[in-house]
Amino acid sequence: MLKNLREKAPLSCIMRIGNSSLPLFKSELEYNPPVHGTWNIVHIGMQIPESHQIYVCSDNCMRGVVMTAAEMNCLDRFSQVVLKDHDLYDGNLEEVTINGVIDIINRLHYKPKAVLVFTVCLHHFMGSDLRRIGDELNAHFPDIDIIMCLMDPIMQKEGLSPEAKLRDKELQLIRPLDVNQQAVALLGADIPVDESSDLIELIKSNGCTVTQIADCQTYDDFLALGQSTLFINYYLTGEYGVRRLSRRLHRSYFNLPSTFCYDSIDESYQQLCELMGWQQVDTSKLRNEAEKALAHLKEVIGNTPIMIDYIAHPQPLSMAELLLNHGFNVECIYIDAVTADEIETYQRLKERYPDLILKATIHVGMRYYYQHHDEIVIGIGQKAAFFENTPHFVNIVEGGGLWGYKGIVKLCALIEEAYYEEKDTADIVVRKGLGCESCL
Amino acid sequence: MKQANVRLPVMTGDVSGVCSVLYELGGMVVMHDPSGCNSTYNTHDEIRWYDQPSLIFLSGLKHSDAIMGNDDKLINDIVTAAKMYQPNFIAICNSPIPYIIGTDFEAISLLVEQETGIPTFYVQTNAMHDYVHGASAALKKVVKMFAAHKRQSELPLVNIIGTTPLDYTNKKSIMSLKSWLTAQGYEVNANLSFDTQFDELKQLLDADVNLVVSGIGFETAKMLERDYGIPYVVGLPVKGMEEQLDICLKQAIKTKESCLAYEREDSYEDYLFIGDPVVMGSLSCRVKGRVLCPNESAVSLLTTGGQLIDGEEELIEAIGHPEVVIADPLYNYYIDENVRFIELPHFALSGRLYRKRIPDLLTFDWREEDES
């Protein structure tokens, strides 16, 4: 029988931030916890309306992506070319890829506007000429936009992640249109920024419209992003693609990572207004609203322990700093690595709150780590909810659309809701792609 | 094109098959693969991951380590984890990139075993085959390594070979199978390997007969027959098959000769069954229906009229003109709307989609469903 080792984890995957150094955790065997709310490349690709995805890979590698499509009720927009052993020996991987994709497109019951063809690590290691594959496919289907994408996780630790590459590839479909000086595109992430956020209010108050990918109902809507005068990226893995898009189209670009630091928010607004020639915004009122929300939340939840994870928000350290600075009892952060834009925050937390605990999530030592609490513990994010075994959690991924001061107000409301209401953790966190349809 | 599936998902792959069949045996399984592809095993191919921990890990292979042949990292990482958890054994699986660069897994296994003192073996996978291939290879390895004699019984002892949640998702099927064997006067000696424990391996060789209940169990049963003289019977006591299976088991014990309990000489087009050859072979027995099997190495488990299908194109060609189809709901897309379709979800195909609708196979009566 399996030994019950729950609640135990080696010291190498749990540490005080005061004792930590970067990189936080040593690379070892990896555990994949049953928490799947973040979006993967299939979810991301499905955001392009009227598009079809074709993956060219082996059975076991195909399984995760095809079942992602199945669970989001999109099997009719997903096809597969399944590679066999002989495709590696015969030296015809490019032909198999081209012929397979052509065969699938010809057999589809509808005509997609765009096709995303995903090649994989095998193509890379076999030295396949991906440009030739793309050129031949585009020549074969001149009235379909075919874009060559990558599912190559073997590269993700030493360069751009597959998500970052896909966001870039998707945006390569956008062609330059006549500039609409009032059109602003807010891109880079999957979860749209709240319409009520102070960022969108700022843009709209200057007479501009805001389009996010989630707003695009048709492929033409998506292509219409090419008329934007300004491209704003607000998510870490979107930065590469959105920046390249703005360069290619010779449009303004602004990187606006979501943060919980007041000074950083103000600085972003100041720079954005300077770039666009807008009147500077007075944030004192917004800041007061955020302060009031934090004070109210503190009254409600008092010293209730809070655990934050990195899949809830791309800047978990910034979120922790805000809450700690306002007297909240943030006990730990589930985080595998510190991103470049959080290193300064990490250093501040290390100095001011050395007892804050950092826990890995994919470390081999976390396999049996599973907490039990008699009192309420609030998780912010699905991984925190899973490891802490708490039904009291804020169910957001990828920032949850929170931005600016109103994002802080909303975060407070979500924490309060989590404090009062229980969720079915086991049912929720195993579903893929929070916000997408789930057939489970 | 045979390799192009417009819509039909691939089935669970070989690496996931290894993990599934070894899950409850107290070992540690390491998939030598980057994070992100085969790690989805736990999402779509495993029902126990959330509630019943098992030591199944990824190596997190990265580009530079593959290019530079840095096997030391893999070895050191496995040794570190093994010292932490002290598993009963260590199994290492291959994946596409280590496969094409020719990683020497036999040598790696030897080095890990020398370093840890824990039995270590390599399961030949490359992520390009189906789950039966991987699970079958892993089961043979672990049986070869640990199977032993331990006990005696006055009752005839039966091993159940080939249970995993991939084919027997609803645990009630296992419970019903054990109950049926007990009711027929047998004693269940070991069950490999869903709802089991490692110690059952240590008495595996005491059995009088092996009951093979899926494609996964067949190669292991043949090995046990060849090496230890234990005969096997292939079949499942589903509705209408109970008596025939019981007769076959008794005959096998007496004569030491193996057989397919659902063997028959003819089949009829009217009834079409698609899925695991043993489950569907048994279910189809009453009406001599035709079986299509999506597993690549199941040809020996098919009877007259049965056919292997590889991919969507072969499936469409093989369907023919049945009146009734019993299969996973994902196959319904390919069946004419005038044909009576009876759903029997198969986890190895549709994963979590219809999991809650997977029945106890022994009480599932498709004829009642057909009449309803």
Side-chain angles (χ1 to χ4, degrees), chain A residues 30 60 79 87 89 158 364, chain B residues 3 6 35 38 58 64 85 99:
Chain A
E30 294 178 6
N60 219 110
S79 301
D87 297 323
Y89 313 138
E158 295 167 314
V364 64
Chain B
Q3 289 166 250
V6 171
S35 310
N38 291 302
L58 283 160
S64 59
Y85 290 118
Y99 175 71

Side-chain angles (χ1 to χ4, degrees), chain A residues 84-138:
Chain A
K84 305 289 184 188
D85 301 62
H86 61 79
D87 297 323
L88 308 182
Y89 313 138
D90 296 347
N92 64 347
L93 190 53
E94 290 161 14
E95 268 58 46
V96 171
T97 304
I98 293 166
N99 295 338
V101 171
I102 290 173
D103 182 49
I104 283 169
I105 295 176
N106 285 335
R107 287 162 56 200
L108 288 177
H109 295 302
Y110 75 112
K111 186 176 173 188
K113 297 278 178 64
V115 172
L116 283 65
V117 178
F118 287 81
T119 56
V120 297
C121 308
L122 275 172
H123 291 84
H124 177 74
F125 274 75
M126 299 293 286
S128 297
D129 186 344
L130 300 182
R131 176 167 293 191
R132 183 202 147 203
I133 294 171
D135 288 347
E136 291 209 15
L137 290 172
N138 274 299

Side-chain angles (χ1 to χ4, degrees), chain B residues 165-181:
Chain B
L166 296 167
D167 296 316
Y168 289 82
T169 314
N170 188 334
K171 216 175 196 174
K172 285 180 184 169
S173 298
I174 312 290
M175 293 156 65
S176 296
L177 180 56
K178 288 179 177 176
S179 299
W180 180 83
L181 285 166

Side-chain angles (χ1 to χ4, degrees), chain A residues 101-385:
Chain A
V101 171
I102 290 173
D103 182 49
I104 283 169
I105 295 176
N106 285 335
R107 287 162 56 200
L108 288 177
H109 295 302
Y110 75 112
K111 186 176 173 188
K113 297 278 178 64
V115 172
L116 283 65
V117 178
F118 287 81
T119 56
V120 297
C121 308
L122 275 172
H123 291 84
H124 177 74
F125 274 75
M126 299 293 286
S128 297
D129 186 344
L130 300 182
R131 176 167 293 191
R132 183 202 147 203
I133 294 171
D135 288 347
E136 291 209 15
L137 290 172
N138 274 299
H140 202 92
F141 298 104
D143 51 351
I144 298 176
D145 288 342
I146 293 178
I147 194 95
M148 298 299 295
C149 304
L150 296 163
M151 178 171 77
D152 58 348
I154 199 165
M155 305 293 287
Q156 67 184 331
K157 291 179 181 167
E158 295 167 314
L160 291 169
S161 67
E163 290 82 5
K165 287 179 199 166
L166 178 57
R167 294 185 203 285
D168 173 54
K169 291 285 185 181
E170 279 185 351
L171 297 178
Q172 287 178 23
L173 290 165
I174 297 172
R175 295 180 280 268
L177 299 173
D178 290 342
V179 180
N180 175 347
Q181 298 293 347
Q182 270 68 53
V184 173
L186 194 52
L187 303 174
D190 310 306
I191 311 296
V193 173
D194 275 352
E195 280 294 315
S196 61
S197 75
D198 26 305
L199 171 63
I200 289 186
E201 274 184 13
L202 170 67
I203 298 169
K204 286 185 173 174
S205 69
N206 283 282
C208 294
T209 58
V210 182
T211 308
Q212 307 190 59
I213 284 204
D215 300 325
C216 300
Q217 299 300 310
T218 66
Y219 190 59
D220 286 341
D221 292 343
F222 176 74
L223 292 181
L225 289 167
Q227 66 180 343
S228 306
T229 186
L230 169 67
F231 291 102
I232 298 176
N233 169 66
Y234 65 100
Y235 193 66
L236 195 62
T237 60
E239 205 263 338
Y240 175 72
V242 181
R243 180 163 42 82
R244 281 180 21 118
L245 171 68
S246 61
R247 273 190 198 160
R248 184 165 55 81
L249 271 53
H250 305 290
R251 309 291 162 79
S252 299
Y253 168 73
F254 197 71
N255 191 35
L256 206 56
S258 177
T259 175
F260 294 92
C261 169
Y262 293 169
D263 291 343
S264 297
I265 295 170
D266 286 350
E267 193 181 342
S268 292
Y269 281 146
Q270 186 189 337
Q271 289 174 354
L272 178 61
C273 290
E274 281 172 11
L275 176 74
M276 298 305 291
W278 295 338
Q279 191 178 357
Q280 288 293 336
V281 59
D282 178 6
T283 58
S284 56
K285 209 171 163 184
L286 290 166
R287 191 182 285 216
N288 282 340
E289 281 179 33
E291 284 290 307
K292 273 187 200 167
L294 287 160
H296 169 73
L297 180 64
K298 179 67 183 155
E299 272 181 29
V300 172
I301 72 168
N303 212 34
T304 305
I306 296 174
M307 320 290 181
I308 300 171
D309 76 37
Y310 75 94
I311 66 167
H313 196 277
Q315 294 208 0
L317 299 179
S318 169
M319 184 191 287
E321 186 178 38
L322 173 80
L323 295 173
L324 284 163
N325 286 346
H326 285 80
F328 291 93
N329 180 20
V330 179
E331 283 194 359
C332 87
I333 303 174
Y334 286 89
I335 186 169
D336 293 309
V338 176
T339 55
D341 58 353
E342 286 230 284
I343 288 178
E344 285 181 20
T345 314
Y346 164 77
Q347 297 294 357
R348 284 197 302 273
L349 285 171
K350 193 173 168 176
E351 280 177 24
R352 291 193 61 190
Y353 305 102
D355 290 331
L356 178 66
I357 301 295
L358 303 179
K359 298 178 184 176
T361 73
I362 62 167
H363 191 282
V364 64
M366 294 298 283
R367 182 57 180 109
Y368 291 104
Y369 188 77
Y370 197 63
Q371 293 286 55
H372 297 277
H373 300 282
D374 294 327
E375 305 294 329
I376 291 178
V377 164
I378 298 172
I380 300 180
Q382 296 187 345
K383 283 197 173 180

Side-chain angles (χ1 to χ4, degrees), chain A residues 1-3 5-6 8 10 12 26-36 40 52 58-68 70-73 75-89 95-97 99-101 103-105 107-109 121-126 151-158 362-368 370 385-386 389 425-427 429-432 439-440, chain B residues 1-17 23-28 30 33-45 48-67 73-74 77-78 80-81 84-87 96-97 99-101 126-130 196-199 296 310 312-313 316 330 333 346-353 356:
Chain A
M1 289 291 286
L2 291 165
K3 288 170 276 190
L5 296 175
R6 287 188 170 188
K8 290 184 181 176
S12 55
K26 195 178 161 216
S27 166
E28 294 183 21
L29 295 184
E30 294 178 6
Y31 156 57
N32 186 9
V35 179
H36 308 299
N40 65 29
H52 195 91
S58 58
D59 283 73
N60 219 110
C61 305
M62 186 76 83
R63 182 79 177 154
V65 283
V66 69
M67 294 316 294
T68 298
E71 290 185 1
M72 66 186 299
N73 199 19
L75 269 185
D76 53 349
R77 294 177 57 200
F78 188 102
S79 301
Q80 311 142 82
V81 179
V82 185
L83 297 178
K84 305 289 184 188
D85 301 62
H86 61 79
D87 297 323
L88 308 182
Y89 313 138
E95 268 58 46
V96 171
T97 304
N99 295 338
V101 171
D103 182 49
I104 283 169
I105 295 176
R107 287 162 56 200
L108 288 177
H109 295 302
C121 308
L122 275 172
H123 291 84
H124 177 74
F125 274 75
M126 299 293 286
M151 178 171 77
D152 58 348
I154 199 165
M155 305 293 287
Q156 67 184 331
K157 291 179 181 167
E158 295 167 314
I362 62 167
H363 191 282
V364 64
M366 294 298 283
R367 182 57 180 109
Y368 291 104
Y370 197 63
F386 168 72
N389 190 23
T425 309
D427 180 70
V429 304
V430 299
R431 294 171 186 265
K432 290 185 123 175
C439 295
L440 301 188
Chain B
M1 183 180 173
K2 190 175 162 184
Q3 289 166 250
N5 287 6
V6 171
R7 196 175 197 280
L8 182 69
V10 293
M11 299 197 81
T12 300
D14 53 3
V15 178
S16 296
Y23 197 92
E24 298 181 18
L25 298 177
M28 183 169 91
V30 179
D33 189 53
S35 310
C37 282
N38 291 302
S39 62
T40 58
Y41 151 72
N42 77 72
T43 320
H44 301 292
D45 299 328
R48 296 163 288 192
W49 197 249
Y50 197 100
D51 301 312
Q52 187 182 353
S54 179
L55 299 174
I56 294 174
F57 302 114
L58 283 160
S59 65
L61 176 65
K62 62 181 183 178
H63 185 247
S64 59
D65 287 337
I67 295 287
K73 179 174 189 320
L74 173 67
D77 287 353
I78 294 174
T80 301
M84 187 192 307
Y85 290 118
Q86 292 295 316
I97 300 305
Y99 175 71
I100 60 169
I101 63 175
N126 61 8
M128 295 188 177
H129 296 274
D130 68 26
T196 190
Q197 48 190 325
F198 182 66
D199 284 349
E296 60 194 42
D310 181 9
E312 190 178 57
E313 195 175 275
I316 293 167
L330 285 180
Y333 180 81
H346 188 188
F347 190 75
L349 176 66
S350 54
R352 306 189 292 183
L353 284 174
K356 291 169 189 162

